[in-house]
Amino acid sequence: MRVRFRSAAALAAVLLLAPAGCGIGDVRRTPARPSAPASARPSLDEPWPVRTARVPVPADYPSWTVRFTDAETGYVLFSRCYATSLGAEPGGTPPPPECPGVLLRTLDGGRHWTSLPLPRATAANFQLFARDDRLVLVAEPHGWYASTDRGSTFSHPSARTDPPPAAYFMVQGRFQVCCDRDRRPPAVLEWAADRARPLARQPDVPGLAEVAYANGRLVATGVRDGRPYAAISPDDGRTWRSTPVPAPGGRLGRLEPQVDGGDAWLVGWPADNRQFPTLWRLVGDAWRPESAAGHPDLAYAVTAIGDGVLAVQGSAGAGVVVAGRYRRAAWPAVGDLTLLADGALCVVTEAYPRTIWLGRGAGVDRRWVRLELVTE
């Protein structure tokens, strides 16, 4: 599974509203990027297999968060209201009301859904994160709840919402970059048994900010003065090799590593991170610029999906970069895309009706199925 992280301090800095995404991510209040244009949204009349399930959720629960860990195991957390912020607002506005929630789980790819008891029945803002058998829930303002048995039981590791407990960072992945106030400079940490330790050997990366991991290989990246830097470890961080990155055409604001099995990529986002990024692919021991001829002007996210393919979400909807060229994706799903642990893709559409797409396969070769949840 592809794993990438910004610093732990950035993750813990502010609680934000979780979007209707498939996978793990920052704790957030607002979507990370605008939705795809209406013209790029899929037609629901296309002949893709559909799995429809009735779920014990009232129809007036407008907020939902989707978390799939693989193509069989997924969760949906519904809530009756949207949260904006906690505590009193300027001018004495009272905190938002608490709303009930409903937590569902599927173990068969969305054919059947089971209600799970929420450890906290109401909250001003529910958020959900999942990885492997772990499930982590924040119920603002009551704190965090964690499960290691796919939501069957929960503990209550923290009655506070800030900072997040170890359980939250555990679902973010084995390796992360930490640059909190007590640690200078930033360092790559390894999480195990609910504890983090800095690696004995650290990458020599100016502006170290992110790390990605898959199958024993780590790629650490940073940006300093607009220039990209990267280092690679082939052995779980025991040794590192600095790998020069050819200079892009302009100054970068962020260098995002992407690692997926045999593929390793760098995605260089300019200061205005909506512009289409600069791409590099690891060829042998060197980063080589990767063209994307025909790409749209704007991109919101780039995801390595195997077989030398990058999935792009941008102003033209869903697309892929293959062999140096960009083209529209030959699949039905446009929305928030996540690569799951088993290589499947999960996409959640932001428009009604609520729709989840699962795409098994590798690269552009996908067998899609549409999941529809029918509320009461």
Side-chain angles (χ1 to χ4, degrees):
M1 180 180 182
R2 175 184 56 83
V3 185
R4 70 177 186 275
F5 297 98
R6 302 173 189 172
S7 70
L11 293 173
V14 62
L15 290 178
L16 305 168
L17 176 64
C22 302
I24 60 176
D26 299 356
V27 190
R28 50 182 72 160
R29 278 196 200 286
T30 54
R33 55 185 178 271
S35 60
S39 61
R41 292 172 184 160
S43 167
L44 299 184
D45 297 327
E46 296 196 30
W48 305 100
V50 180
R51 295 173 186 164
T52 302
R54 290 193 170 273
V55 294
V57 178
D60 61 345
Y61 279 47
S63 177
W64 74 330
T65 300
V66 179
R67 304 294 185 206
F68 269 76
T69 58
D70 55 46
E72 296 295 319
T73 307
Y75 310 85
V76 180
L77 176 60
F78 289 86
S79 180
R80 177 165 284 169
C81 65
Y82 291 105
T84 54
S85 62
L86 292 178
E89 297 293 333
T93 303
E98 293 197 12
C99 298
V102 176
L103 178 59
L104 306 176
R105 179 183 68 192
T106 180
L107 300 177
D108 58 7
R111 296 174 180 84
H112 303 90
W113 294 84
T114 302
S115 293
L116 299 176
L118 277 172
R120 184 80 194 187
T122 63
N125 178 25
F126 283 111
Q127 298 181 53
L128 185 69
F129 307 90
R131 184 184 185 84
D132 301 326
D133 291 340
R134 290 178 176 265
L135 204 62
V136 176
L137 172 77
V138 59
E140 297 182 85
H142 308 289
W144 295 81
Y145 301 84
S147 172
T148 57
D149 55 11
R150 294 189 288 189
S152 296
T153 60
F154 283 88
S155 62
H156 188 30
S158 176
R160 300 176 56 192
T161 57
D162 187 23
Y168 167 74
F169 291 102
M170 288 293 293
V171 300
Q172 300 300 316
R174 178 179 167 188
F175 296 96
Q176 299 169 36
V177 172
C178 175
C179 54
D180 59 29
R181 295 177 181 176
D182 298 328
R183 183 178 300 280
R184 292 289 187 272
V188 178
L189 305 185
E190 181 178 12
W191 280 87
D194 291 336
R195 294 182 180 274
R197 65 172 182 84
L199 296 180
R201 293 183 178 275
Q202 290 291 322
D204 182 14
V205 174
L208 176 66
E210 301 191 43
V211 64
Y213 172 77
N215 299 333
R217 179 162 58 182
L218 282 160
V219 178
T221 60
V223 174
R224 177 173 290 175
D225 298 328
R227 294 180 57 85
Y229 297 91
I232 297 174
S233 171
D235 51 14
D236 291 336
R238 290 187 290 274
T239 62
W240 290 91
R241 182 181 73 256
S242 294
T243 51
V245 182
R251 292 172 60 89
L252 294 184
R254 176 179 166 226
L255 186 63
E256 177 184 6
Q258 297 266 351
V259 181
D260 173 41
D263 294 336
W265 302 80
L266 299 178
V267 182
W269 295 97
D272 177 3
N273 63 7
R274 292 188 187 181
Q275 297 177 17
F276 200 89
T278 303
L279 306 174
W280 297 266
R281 186 178 183 183
L282 188 66
V283 179
D285 294 328
W287 296 108
R288 303 299 185 195
E290 181 80 1
S291 61
H295 68 74
D297 292 334
L298 305 180
Y300 313 134
V302 174
T303 306
I305 61 174
D307 285 357
V309 179
L310 292 174
V312 177
Q313 296 158 270
S315 55
V320 292
V321 175
V322 183
R325 297 195 61 83
Y326 172 91
R327 58 182 173 84
R328 292 288 297 272
W331 57 56
V334 176
D336 193 6
L337 178 147
T338 304
L339 180 69
L340 305 180
D342 57 358
L345 295 181
C346 176
V347 178
V348 176
T349 59
E350 299 175 1
Y352 282 87
R354 293 185 171 108
T355 306
I356 304 165
W357 296 86
L358 295 175
R360 295 178 183 266
V364 296
D365 184 15
R366 299 282 168 173
R367 301 179 304 279
W368 290 94
V369 62
R370 176 159 51 96
L371 310 184
E372 290 187 354
L373 306 185
V374 181
T375 57
E376 296 176 344

